[in-house]
């Protein structure tokens, strides 16, 4: 089975990258990268000079010099192409693995008369209904409309443990290519051929639909402008050299241009972007575009659900508290009645606790009862018995309003009990029968370990965290303090999430959030980075711009770190590339004019062997630095949680000053090797 985490640079990927590096020499491909296209044009010109040294007039260098410049420039272009091809190769290898998962399976299509017709999965279209039995592959993406089954999603997530999916609710969506491990399900197909989750995933990891991000486009434009500026500078050197009676050969001018334009970042820019997308998929997150990954790196505010994200979400009944006028047995039994038809983990825990306390019931007594489902609006659930009795449990304020509307009285100690539970970090649920409140259920929830430290890291980055919860303000405040979030929104409804996102965006901030339900879809669409759970509804996944295959809501923390790492890597290597030019300037300019202007000897601080050796040394260093930086481009610069100012200072120190020092050392070493080998 495929596992998107398992990707390494294999021999096959390396060999294919070498082949692709030569294929990318096609000018129609190279022109997309202005910097490297200029280098390729220079390579072609020096190739012509290798055969006809005096093609552009008299020259004082031999054919050997032109040939050496040609080969160095060719290697420079090939190294840049290799870096991009290597990054693409990992994605293509992953796509090939996914294609094996996406086999042409057979589907049991439900006909209008209820009979079944076996068809190919490629024939299914949106709206078709199929039945999938135990052991069969789900033929297409869709929503379960009937049945309950455990689904083996290891082909997508790499996780061997099956997950339970059932009709209705937020866990009804299934993905084509996964397998039914038990029971059966009836699925409504939600995608047309070629538009399935796997199809999109293959296209994205393969890079077939990769578009440059806004930052990448801006940087490409900047590099193109710098290239144009240096081209003009080189052109103006020709009349200056003639005035000084210095003859500058075409090959030397090309070498100078290539060394001064930002070839290092120009050669690595695409590889950085592709590798950034790849790092996201290593975390089993499918990003719909590079823009989403980049936006994650610029996030200012993160909005998180409490249940399942900040806490484990498995709130369990811990204790029943009777209010004044009610006995322990009464609250135990009414809590049981309110939960006998509640199939949620909380409901089952109430029934289990009541059973431990000696309460029993007959399921047949509730067969005709009307089930009142919990909704975000009412924040209550319960039963309407056949004899007219209404049993409710829910948020304390919702139950108080329900009882008051029926003319009942509110027990004096109700608020004191619920506040005590809330201050302890629990969730109080009031229980009422008709117009009388009998007591409170204490639901315990637990904050996930390590989150407080993660939120502290986010705070150090300048990211504000906001917790959204349907709990009352006291409970929300306790959990917020324990988790270490900056703000919280209590008793939150779906529209409150959208309002919170819009409020932050109106202040010029970028917002990220996670969600899995249909009611989360509008907020996921509104957020700049919306991370939907793969176990969630199709509506949520379509609204989001990222999908977490592991359905881990805390994954957003890792995605933000990856986004920041992408931006930092691009910035660091850009700084290093531009800083390199300083050393190359000191290597080449004195070498070109030192005979006519002996005063330039003061700039010849490297004391290189000869003008020719200086030019070739700088050119060779310019070529070999690209493959040496490929591992950093692929892996990314290590990210540390700190403020933007400190991060900028650190990277300028390492990659700015380092970008100046390393070329001085490298060029001098290469010059010594050339001198020792008597190459020139």
């Amino acid at each position: 089975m495929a596992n998107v985490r398992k990707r390494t640079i294999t021999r096959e990927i390396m060999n294919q990258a070498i082949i692709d590096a030569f294929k990318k020499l096609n000018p129609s491909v190279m022109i997309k990268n202005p910097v490297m296209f200029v280098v390729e044009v220079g390579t072609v010109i020096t190739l012509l000079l290798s055969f006809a040294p005096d093609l552009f007039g008299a020259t004082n260098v031999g054919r050997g010099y032109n040939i050496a410049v040609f080969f160095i420039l060719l290697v420079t272009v090939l190294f840049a192409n290799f870096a991009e091809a290597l990054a693409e190769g990992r994605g293509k290898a992953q796509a090939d693995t996914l294609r094996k998962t996406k086999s042409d399976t057979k589907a049991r299509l439900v006909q209008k008369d209820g009979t079944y017709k076996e068809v190919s999965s490629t024939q299914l279209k949106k709206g078709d209904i199929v039945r999938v039995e135990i052991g069969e592959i789900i033929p297409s993406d869709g929503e379960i409309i009937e049945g309950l089954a455990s689904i083996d999603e290891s082909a997508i997530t790499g996780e061997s443990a099956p997950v339970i999916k059932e009709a209705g609710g937020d866990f009804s969506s299934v993905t084509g290519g996964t397998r039914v491990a038990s029971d059966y399900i009836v699925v409504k197909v939600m995608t047309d051929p070629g538009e399935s989750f796997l199809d999109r995933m293959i296209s994205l990891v393969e890079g077939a639909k990769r578009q440059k991000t806004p930052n990448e486009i801006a940087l490409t434009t900047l590099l193109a402008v710098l290239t144009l500026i240096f081209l003009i500078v080189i052109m103006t050197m020709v009349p200056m050299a003639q005035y000084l009676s210095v003859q500058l050969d075409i090959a030397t001018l090309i070498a100078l241009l290539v060394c001064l334009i930002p070839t290092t970042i120009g050669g690595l820019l695409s590889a950085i972007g592709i590798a950034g997308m790849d790092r996201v998929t290593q975390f089993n997150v499918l990003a719909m575009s590079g823009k989403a990954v980049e936006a994650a790196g610029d996030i200012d505010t993160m909005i998180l659900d409490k249940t399942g994200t900040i806490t484990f979400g498995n709130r369990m009944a811990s204790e029943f508290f009777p209010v004044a006028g009610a006995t322990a047995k009464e609250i135990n039994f009414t809590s049981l009645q309110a939960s006998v038809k509640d199939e949620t983990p909380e409901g089952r825990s109430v029934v289990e606790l009541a059973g431990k306390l000696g309460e029993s019931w007959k399921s047949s007594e509730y067969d005709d009862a009307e089930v009142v489902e919990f909704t975000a609006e009412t924040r209550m659930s319960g039963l309407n018995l056949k004899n007219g009795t209404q049993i409710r449990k829910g948020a304390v304020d919702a139950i108080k309003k329900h009882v008051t509307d029926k003319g009942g009285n509110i027990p004096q100690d109700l608020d004191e009990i619920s506040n005590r539970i809330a201050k302890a970090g629990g969730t109080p649920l009031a229980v009422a029968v008709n117009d009388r409140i009998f007591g409170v259920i204490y639901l315990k929830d637990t904050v996930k370990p390590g989150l407080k430290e993660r939120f502290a890291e986010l705070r150090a980055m300048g990211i504000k965290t906001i917790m959204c919860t349907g709990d009352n303000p006291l409970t929300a405040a306790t959990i917020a303090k324990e988790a270490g979030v900056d703000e919280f929104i209590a008793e939150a409804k779906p529209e409150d999430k959208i309002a919170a996102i819009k409020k932050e965006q109106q202040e010029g901030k970028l917002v990220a959030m996670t969600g899995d339900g249909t009611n989360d879809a509008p907020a996921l669409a509104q957020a700049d980075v919306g991370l939907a759970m793969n176990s969630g509804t199709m509506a949520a996944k379509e609204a989001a711009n990222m999908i977490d295959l592991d359905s881990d809501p805390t994954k957003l923390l890792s995605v933000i770190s990856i986004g920041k790492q992408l931006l930092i890597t691009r910035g660091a290597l850009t700084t290093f590339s531009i800083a390199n030019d300083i050393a190359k300037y000191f290597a080449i300019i004195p070498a070109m004019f030192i005979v006519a202007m002996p005063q330039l000897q003061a700039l010849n601080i490297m004391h290189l062997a000869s003008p020719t050796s200086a030019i070739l040394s700088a050119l060779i260093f310019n070529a070999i630095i690209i493959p040496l930086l490929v591992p950093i481009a692929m892996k990314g610069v290590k990210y540390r949680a700190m403020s933007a100012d400190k991060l900028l200072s650190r990277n300028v120190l390492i990659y700015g000053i380092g970008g100046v020092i390393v070329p001085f050392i490298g060029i001098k070493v290469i010059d010594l090797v050339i001198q020792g080998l008597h190459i020139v």
Side-chain angles (χ1 to χ4, degrees), residues 34 91 99 106 113-114 146 183 185 239 269 376 397 434 530 548 551 625:
R99 281 196 181 92
K106 296 297 180 182
D113 59 1
E146 180 186 325
D183 305 291
I185 49 174
L269 189 57
D397 60 333
N434 295 326
D548 176 22
S551 300
I625 196 65

Side-chain angles (χ1 to χ4, degrees), residues 253-320:
L253 289 171
I254 291 173
L256 178 60
L257 175 63
V258 170
C259 284
L260 293 186
I261 63 177
T263 49
T264 305
I265 186 61
L268 295 173
L269 189 57
S270 293
I272 293 169
I274 296 169
M277 291 280 289
D278 184 70
R279 282 195 295 276
V280 173
T281 58
Q282 287 181 35
F283 279 81
N284 268 6
V285 174
L286 173 63
M288 298 306 177
S289 68
K291 185 178 179 181
V293 180
E294 209 168 73
D298 285 328
I299 286 300
D300 300 296
T301 304
M302 186 162 62
I303 296 179
L304 300 148
D305 278 329
K306 186 203 78 171
T307 306
T309 304
I310 292 175
T311 64
F312 282 105
N314 52 345
R315 298 183 302 178
M316 299 298 174
S318 175
E319 196 171 349
F320 300 135

Side-chain angles (χ1 to χ4, degrees), residues 68 71-73 75-76 79 259 613-627 666-667 670-671 673-674 679:
F71 275 110
I72 297 171
L73 293 181
V75 169
T76 302
F79 278 157
C259 284
S613 173
I615 293 169
L616 291 180
S617 297
L619 205 58
I620 291 171
F621 176 84
N622 192 65
I624 64 176
I625 196 65
I626 294 177
I667 292 172
I670 295 171
D671 177 72
V673 171
I674 291 175
I679 296 176

Side-chain angles (χ1 to χ4, degrees), residues 154-266:
S154 58
I156 303 296
T157 67
E159 298 296 334
S160 57
V163 294
I164 303 296
K165 298 288 185 79
E166 60 183 319
D170 292 341
F171 300 95
S172 59
S173 100
V174 290
T175 305
T178 56
R179 185 174 60 86
V180 175
S182 71
D183 305 291
Y184 81 94
I185 49 174
V186 177
V187 178
K188 182 178 181 180
V189 176
M190 301 299 288
T191 59
D192 288 319
E195 299 177 358
S196 70
F197 183 81
L198 270 178
D199 288 318
R200 285 185 294 161
M201 191 170 181
I202 289 170
S203 296
L204 285 164
V205 300
E206 194 173 39
K209 295 183 180 179
R210 193 185 92 86
Q211 296 180 344
K212 289 186 176 181
T213 63
N215 280 349
E216 196 172 349
I217 293 171
L219 184 54
T220 301
T221 304
L222 173 62
L223 297 181
V225 170
L226 288 175
T227 301
L228 180 61
I229 291 172
F230 280 118
L231 182 60
I232 295 172
V233 169
I234 297 302
M235 291 172 65
T236 60
M237 275 190 174
V238 176
M240 290 174 58
Q242 290 176 346
Y243 177 77
L244 295 170
S245 301
V246 176
Q247 184 178 352
L248 295 180
D249 296 288
I250 298 298
T252 299
L253 289 171
I254 291 173
L256 178 60
L257 175 63
V258 170
C259 284
L260 293 186
I261 63 177
T263 49
T264 305
I265 186 61

